[in-house]
Amino acid sequence: MVALDTVWPADSVEFCPHESASDIFVCGTYRLEQPPADAQVHTALDDGKGDFEPATRKQSQVRRGKCLVLQATEDRGVSQIQEISLPAVLDQKWCHTSQTASPVLGIADSEGNVTLHEWHKEERRLKAFQSVSCAPSDVLCLSLDWSTRRHPTNNHGSLVVSLSNGSLCVLNPDSTGNLTIVNRWHAHDYEPWIAAWNYWDTSIVYSGGDDLTMKGWDVRQNFSQPIFTNKRFNAGVTSIQSHPHIEYLIAVGSYDNNVCIFDSRKPLVPLVQGDVGGGAWRVKWHPSPSRREDLLVAGMHDGFKVVKAHHGEDVTWEIVKRFDDHKSLAYGADWSFAPPGVDGETLIASCSFYDHMLHLWSG
């Protein structure tokens, strides 16, 4: 196990899925600089619930962030190879591109932007090539997701982005390959912490918010109403991921300490619900088909867990591993796409907020 001090509070970790760069991963950080003493501020993430400031609060605060570009070494150590200064980083996702295309990273920041960065293998650096303003600078981009998880392409896929003003937007590549906003609509009455594609049907987008709802949207229709609304959560919905290897399965995390597995055809009643001990800020299915039952969970106040969601006639739930070395809110986590180690386990990166730590472990 390896630990790295990220210096600023860390909230997201993402491994590159591209075969040529599977040792590369990124960690996003978020630092709220102190405003004048007489300003009234509710600081980001510091109530333990995970709240980022709504857009209406005073603009005397400055949110700064960095994207740390890291390499996992053969002995499962870590080295930092680049540091990119940005507004505070809220979420990051690599686009699943074909093996002949370069890896591309999308970064959602606290000033309403999504920036795109291409990995240059020879120089071992990320280089920014496009920035898209999804909202005014006082609105935060809270999450993003690419549509190409199951069908990598030579071009960029579509992006869905959730915004702190309650909106979602969809970005598609134009004829030149640049992403442009093609849809934007009001989706939630409070912050939509998460937006995610159905990887098996990329006309469908899911969103979850602080209004205690999960919604589904068909991007081919107008957005006057969702195709479904699930109001059966006891707290805000924080994380959603479509299963890359089992059609119809989606994992959904909430501040209510539970992760639910749904059949997307019946999205109002979970197939199974499991208590993970803390708010489930991120849920990540294992990237390998051979471990399609395994789910990685970032559990905020209760560390990180690997869960086995057995999918037979019924879905069963079992926590098979815990990682409790973080001393602060557990926010970012991801599986490596590289082959497993000699122990058969997969490399995992995780990061936490106030202790600004990143750990590498396996599960």
Side-chain angles (χ1 to χ4, degrees), residues 55-67:
T56 55
R57 294 190 177 136
K58 289 189 177 181
Q59 292 308 301
S60 55
Q61 25 186 346
V62 178
R63 308 178 189 92
R64 300 194 186 281
K66 294 180 180 180
C67 170

Side-chain angles (χ1 to χ4, degrees), residues 200-218:
W200 297 76
D201 179 359
T202 54
S203 61
I204 305 299
V205 165
Y206 305 116
S207 62
D210 225 29
D211 53 2
L212 282 61
T213 66
M214 175 178 68
K215 299 181 180 183
W217 308 89
D218 189 327

Side-chain angles (χ1 to χ4, degrees), residues 276-298:
V276 293
W281 187 250
R282 284 293 177 264
V283 291
K284 300 279 188 73
W285 292 107
H286 196 286
S288 171
S290 65
R291 292 187 58 184
R292 60 186 176 273
E293 297 179 344
D294 293 351
L295 184 71
L296 178 62
V297 179

Side-chain angles (χ1 to χ4, degrees), residues 212-269:
L212 282 61
T213 66
M214 175 178 68
K215 299 181 180 183
W217 308 89
D218 189 327
V219 300
R220 299 166 299 185
Q221 301 175 5
N222 66 48
F223 300 97
S224 59
Q225 63 181 23
I227 56 176
F228 74 83
T229 301
N230 184 335
K231 300 180 179 180
R232 302 178 185 183
F233 294 90
N234 296 318
V237 178
T238 50
S239 188
I240 301 171
Q241 192 179 53
S242 171
H243 202 303
H245 303 299
I246 302 176
E247 191 174 5
Y248 305 122
L249 280 195
I250 53 175
V252 180
S254 170
Y255 283 137
D256 65 9
N257 296 2
N258 288 300
V259 172
C260 297
I261 309 297
F262 288 94
D263 184 319
S264 61
R265 297 165 294 184
K266 300 177 180 179
L268 301 184
V269 180

Side-chain angles (χ1 to χ4, degrees), residues 69-114:
V69 185
L70 306 161
Q71 180 183 18
T73 58
E74 290 185 3
D75 58 355
R76 295 203 167 180
V78 60
S79 63
Q80 182 174 323
I81 57 180
Q82 190 181 358
E83 181 178 288
I84 303 170
S85 294
L86 296 157
V89 175
L90 281 300
D91 196 17
Q92 309 174 95
K93 295 283 170 37
W94 295 91
C95 182
H96 284 248
T97 54
S98 66
Q99 294 305 313
T100 57
S102 297
V104 169
L105 177 72
I107 302 177
D109 73 35
S110 62
E111 295 184 359
N113 305 310
V114 169

